[in-house]
Amino acid sequence: MHGVLRVVVRTTWIALSAVVLVAAGVAWTTYREVDAGIRRSTAIPTDAPRSSSGTTVLVMGLTTRRDLDGGTPPDDVLDALHAGDVDRGGYNANALIVLHLPAGAGGAKALSLPRDNNAPLLGIPGGPQRGKVKEAYGRAKAAVERTLPTTLDPAEQEWLGREAGRRAQVETVQALLGVPIDHLAEVSMVGFHHLTEALGGIDVCLNRATADPHSGADFPAGPQHLTPAQSLAFVRQRHGLPNGDLDRTRRQQAFLSALLHRLRSEGPAALGPVAEVAKHNVVLSEGWDVLAAVQGVPGVTFTTLPLVPEDEPDAGPALRAAVTAALRPSGPSGPGAAPSPIPCVD
């Protein structure tokens, strides 16, 4: 049995799905069983540029309400999402995190890329486009699906479209930030719901009471246990918060901080129910051994990259400078210091 691994990216909800298989120290046989069952992507070519000082992973959270085969979730799941009908939201990569795992000793770095940064969108058939960085996935998926035979099995069409989206999102992010991407991890909104359902919700703390009809959030102030449906509303809420998306990011950080605290307290038993669910809701790069990648990493430093104003002609220089600064080595008392297990947030 592996000890509790202290590598959980807490900048956004998608990070839970990227490392949830190993964050609590799953038994080796259980880990291998789950690892073999997870869907694998070949969107990153084997001859693509690679990181020279470790492993860099792009973690993506999709807005789609559909499952991995393009199917429609049951009505009770859609009701729990509180996010409209199945086609609302498209396939934007609303959560984007670049996770850098060092080759030697030292902590990992998790860089959250704001979804609304304008960028050249690469990897889309027909040539580069411009738009918000989150849009590369959905635009590439739609463009490729228009070229596929109408007789193709719908699940295969969905997979091929998503593979195109993954390729485009990886190319767009690595060009914008100036870093190679070695691997990817992906989960959708409905996938996150199923994972939190398997966990039975999570404990959080709020500085003040808040309510938002858009996300379904309706919480009192103070410490509280959230149901799975409430957990999704908690990490999705941005309306009614003082700083909008930035406060939503802090919500997501608090959620994952609380999850890590729970996993450390309860050990592998807390993760057991998630294993089977992950097989049907998480996509990882072909050939990526997650356990080998994170084992022994002592912690994570968390950084949110800037949101460059829309009137700037090129967001790349500011973002690349921020990435360079964030990836500099830091001591244990620096930004990577452990947060409160369950921090109170707005």
Side-chain angles (χ1 to χ4, degrees), residues 8-9 18-19 32-33 51 74 102 133 168 196 218-219 227 246 270 316:
V8 172
V9 185
V19 295
R32 283 302 179 195
E33 178 186 352
S51 301
V133 65
T196 54
D218 186 4
F219 309 122
T227 67
L246 291 179

Side-chain angles (χ1 to χ4, degrees), residues 17-58:
S17 304
V19 295
V20 73
L21 300 180
V22 295
V26 189
W28 181 255
T29 53
T30 301
Y31 166 74
R32 283 302 179 195
E33 178 186 352
V34 175
D35 182 66
I38 280 186
R39 299 281 286 272
R40 293 287 182 165
S41 168
T42 58
I44 301 177
T46 55
D47 60 351
R50 299 291 168 174
S51 301
S52 59
S53 59
T55 301
T56 305
V57 183
L58 178 62

Side-chain angles (χ1 to χ4, degrees), residues 121-129:
L121 306 180
L122 307 182
I124 300 173
Q129 302 179 15

